[in-house]
């Protein structure tokens, strides 16, 4: 599976939620704001990985960009 960014942050997170829910048999919900979604996912992802790998940045765009690389490294070994 390949994590990619779409033109819209909401579309990106919607697709990532689908991919993460399938691969982890988990629950990656979408919240009313992108920031809330990223903040919640941060704790889930760090718990699943067992380390503080995922952090949030000053903007959702920066967070999504950074996470895209990390998710692809983790799920495409």
């Amino acid at each position: 599976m390949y994590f990619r960014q779409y033109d819209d942050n909401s579309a990106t997170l919607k697709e990532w939620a689908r991919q993460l829910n399938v691969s982890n048999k988990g629950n990656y919900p979408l919240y009313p704001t992108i920031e809330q979604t990223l903040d919640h996912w941060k704790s889930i992802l760090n718990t699943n990985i067992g380390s503080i790998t995922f952090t949030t940045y000053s903007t959702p765009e920066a967070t999504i960009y950074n996470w895209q690389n990390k998710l692809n490294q983790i799920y495409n070994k």
Side-chain angles (χ1 to χ4, degrees), residues 8-24:
D8 178 63
N9 289 337
S10 295
T12 299
L13 293 182
K14 183 176 179 182
E15 177 58 19
W16 287 11
R18 186 191 68 73
Q19 290 175 288
L20 289 167
N21 284 325
V22 168
S23 66
N24 291 318

Side-chain angles (χ1 to χ4, degrees), residues 53-55 57 61-71:
T53 301
F54 291 88
T55 59
Y57 295 87
E61 291 78 15
T63 300
I64 289 170
Y65 176 80
N66 184 275
W67 286 18
Q68 176 187 9
N69 294 329
K70 290 180 182 190
L71 288 168

Side-chain angles (χ1 to χ4, degrees), residues 1-3 16 19-26 28 44-46 48-49 54 67-77:
M1 109 184 46
Y2 181 74
F3 291 87
W16 287 11
Q19 290 175 288
L20 289 167
N21 284 325
V22 168
S23 66
N24 291 318
K25 295 179 180 44
Y28 288 81
I44 297 171
L45 288 165
N46 285 329
N48 287 345
I49 304 233
F54 291 88
W67 286 18
Q68 176 187 9
N69 294 329
K70 290 180 182 190
L71 288 168
N72 281 314
Q73 288 173 357
I74 292 167
Y75 289 99
N76 295 305
K77 290 181 180 179

